[in-house]
Every structure is written in C-alpha cells, then in structure tokens.
C-alpha cells in the first residue's frame, strides 16, 4: 500500500534531528511528487529580554531564518524536489506548527525530528513533536 501526499510540511530549526527529518521529507516528497513546505518558527520566548536591544534582534532573527530556509530550499531542489515553499512565523513552535501553519497551508503530512529536550523540560513544557502529534489534523511522521 502506498500513501501519496500532496503537501508536506517539514519543521526546520537547524538541529541534527531536523536534518534527519528533512532527508526523510525529501524522500517522501519525491516519491509522491509533493510540494515540500519548509517551515521555521522563530521562537519569541527570548524577545522580552531582546526588546531592550530594539528591532536589531528581530531583524537578525528574520535574516537567520531566511538564510536557513534558503539553504534547505537549495538542498531540496538539488535532491530532486520540484515544488518547494517556505514559511517563517513568529511564536511558539509547539502551538503554531500543528494548530495554525498546517491548516493554513493545507498540508496532509507533517514531518518533525524527534525531540532533543531533556526529561525535565519535556515534562514541564512538552516537546514540539509531542504537541504536533497531539494537535495535528493530518498524518505526522516523527523521524529519529
């Protein structure tokens, strides 16, 4: 049995787990001739501290996110994916990926890397992958 997906969201944060998830997303996108949607959520937890520095921090975060997604767009195209889109959002990745971005982008598969958080942090706030599985209205693939 083969599942075909039309729009695949891959959460990119620059981590090794995200890199592994990206490779899997490219495989699935090529197999299904899907649109690959590269998503980076700029986590704004640090912004209250950064507010003292003005818009410079926000501008730097945006530029870094754009560079990161450009790099992954180039890699996806080099690996044979024909349709790539990029999305940058600000907020909590835990709540935005499954609850807001996926429905807005009409995705039918979300791919995320397994968490790198420690046990205590995972217990207190949960991981992005846990939240995605809990709240997604489409299939979710967690890559280890």
């Amino acid at each position: 049995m083969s599942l075909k997906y039309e729009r695949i969201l891959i959460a990119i944060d620059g981590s090794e787990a995200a890199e592994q998830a990206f490779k899997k997303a490219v495989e699935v996108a090529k197999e299904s001739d899907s649109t690959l949607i590269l998503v980076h959520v700029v986590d704004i937890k640090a912004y209250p501290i950064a507010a003292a520095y003005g818009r410079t921090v926000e501008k730097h975060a945006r530029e870094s996110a754009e560079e990161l997604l450009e790099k992954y767009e180039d890699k996806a195209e080099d690996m044979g994916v024909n349709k790539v889109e990029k999305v940058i959002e600000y907020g909590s990745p835990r709540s935005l990926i499954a609850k807001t971005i996926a429905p807005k982008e009409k995705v039918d598969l979300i791919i995320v890397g397994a968490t790198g958080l420690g046990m205590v942090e995972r217990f207190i706030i949960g991981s992005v992958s846990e939240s995605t599985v809990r709240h997604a209205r489409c299939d979710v693939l967690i890559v280890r």
Side-chain angles (χ1 to χ4, degrees), residues 3 12 18 23 26 28 40 42 50 53 59 62 69 71 77 82 102 112 118-119 133-134 142-144:
L3 295 175
I12 302 289
K23 290 175 184 174
V26 166
V28 176
H40 180 77
V42 178
Y53 297 101
K59 181 182 176 198
R62 178 77 183 188
L69 292 187
K71 177 180 113 177
E77 290 171 349
N82 298 318
V112 294
M119 187 185 312
V133 168
R134 195 174 322 117
I142 298 174
V143 178
R144 296 211 171 268

Side-chain angles (χ1 to χ4, degrees), residues 85-106:
E85 297 175 12
K86 299 176 299 225
V87 174
I88 298 172
E89 291 286 346
Y90 293 86
S92 168
R94 283 174 195 78
S95 61
L96 286 178
I97 290 172
K99 295 178 188 176
T100 304
I101 300 169
K104 179 179 169 186
E105 296 295 329
K106 296 178 175 64

Side-chain angles (χ1 to χ4, degrees), residues 10-27 36 38-39 68 71-73 75-76 79 111-114 143-144:
I10 173 67
I12 302 289
D13 65 2
S15 68
E16 182 58 35
E19 177 70 24
Q20 296 307 314
F22 170 78
K23 290 175 184 174
K24 180 61 79 175
V26 166
E27 287 178 31
L36 187 60
L38 307 172
V39 173
L68 180 67
K71 177 180 113 177
Y72 277 94
E73 179 182 34
K75 285 172 76 169
M79 295 169 76
I111 299 179
V112 294
V143 178
R144 296 211 171 268

Side-chain angles (χ1 to χ4, degrees), residues 112 115 122-123 125-135 142:
V112 294
T115 181
R122 211 173 333 161
F123 175 75
I125 61 175
S127 70
V128 172
S129 55
E130 283 178 295
S131 179
T132 300
V133 168
R134 195 174 322 117
H135 298 289
I142 298 174

Side-chain angles (χ1 to χ4, degrees), residues 34-62:
S34 307
T35 299
L36 187 60
I37 303 163
L38 307 172
V39 173
H40 180 77
V41 178
V42 178
D43 196 340
I44 59 171
K45 285 187 294 192
Y47 276 155
I49 297 166
Y53 297 101
R55 301 274 256 175
T56 306
V57 173
E58 183 179 345
K59 181 182 176 198
H60 177 70
R62 178 77 183 188

